Amino acid sequence: IVSGMERNWPEGRGIFHNKDKTFLTWVNEEDQLRIISMQMGGDVKGVFDRLARGISAVGESVKKESGKEFMLDAKYGFIHACPTNLGTGMRASVHVDLPGFTKEGVGILKARCEELKVQPRGTRGESGGQTGITYDISNKHRLGYSEVELVQCMIDGVNTLVKEDRELQVKHGIA
């Protein structure tokens, strides 16, 4: 806020999406521009492909209108208003039910996620809290990795958590 990013609030912000709400651009929320690709199901490659095409299209549009490109630093990646997004800025996530880990305790889940380089959140966003057995699992890091590496880290972490959760469900008699 000190940077003046939100000086035009609420007029200078908004969210724009396609008809299916699978591609969105969010202007002047936490970052100046957040580009989102999402859909139900497990087609991570399709979501990633749509995201890449969308980022390219938005970048071309910005350059055509303003003559400027996204700020990209060779060492730190894309420049964001939110320092936790420094680097690629990519947070790849899925919503997944983990009843075994829920029964085991959120602390156990958080510790395991730390080992897998992913982070659990509630499905209501970063500070929305956790309810039920559904978690938003995403890559923890943004800086020092490529977008492909971050998506693969999320996929590997989620696959491991689901496998281990099935074992915990058996342990707790909820399978």
Side-chain angles (χ1 to χ4, degrees), residues 33-155:
L33 176 64
R34 183 171 291 182
I35 301 173
I36 303 166
S37 178
M38 62 183 186
Q39 72 186 47
M40 297 292 287
D43 185 8
V44 176
K45 184 179 185 314
V47 172
F48 187 81
D49 287 345
R50 182 185 319 106
L51 179 66
R53 289 190 319 272
I55 290 170
S56 178
V58 170
E60 289 169 14
S61 177
V62 166
K63 185 166 184 168
K64 182 178 177 183
E65 287 292 318
S66 69
K68 298 180 181 176
E69 298 183 22
F70 293 131
M71 291 180 62
L72 178 62
D73 181 272
K75 182 175 180 182
Y76 298 113
F78 289 99
I79 309 302
H80 300 269
C82 179
T84 61
N85 288 334
L86 193 62
T88 66
M90 172 162 300
R91 188 175 84 82
S93 70
V94 297
H95 287 186
V96 61
D97 290 346
L98 299 171
F101 274 106
T102 302
K103 193 81 168 167
E104 199 76 4
V106 175
I108 300 295
L109 174 61
K110 287 181 178 179
R112 185 62 179 126
C113 285
E114 183 71 28
E115 295 169 352
L116 297 170
K117 299 180 184 167
V118 294
Q119 64 185 105
R121 295 182 179 182
T123 56
R124 295 185 193 157
E126 193 169 1
S127 57
Q130 175 57 33
T131 58
I133 61 170
T134 306
Y135 298 84
D136 178 303
I137 306 292
S138 64
N139 54 293
K140 181 174 181 181
H141 303 290
R142 314 277 190 276
L143 184 61
Y145 300 90
S146 74
E147 290 85 348
V148 172
E149 289 173 312
L150 294 175
V151 170
Q152 192 61 57
C153 177
M154 182 272 300
I155 291 169

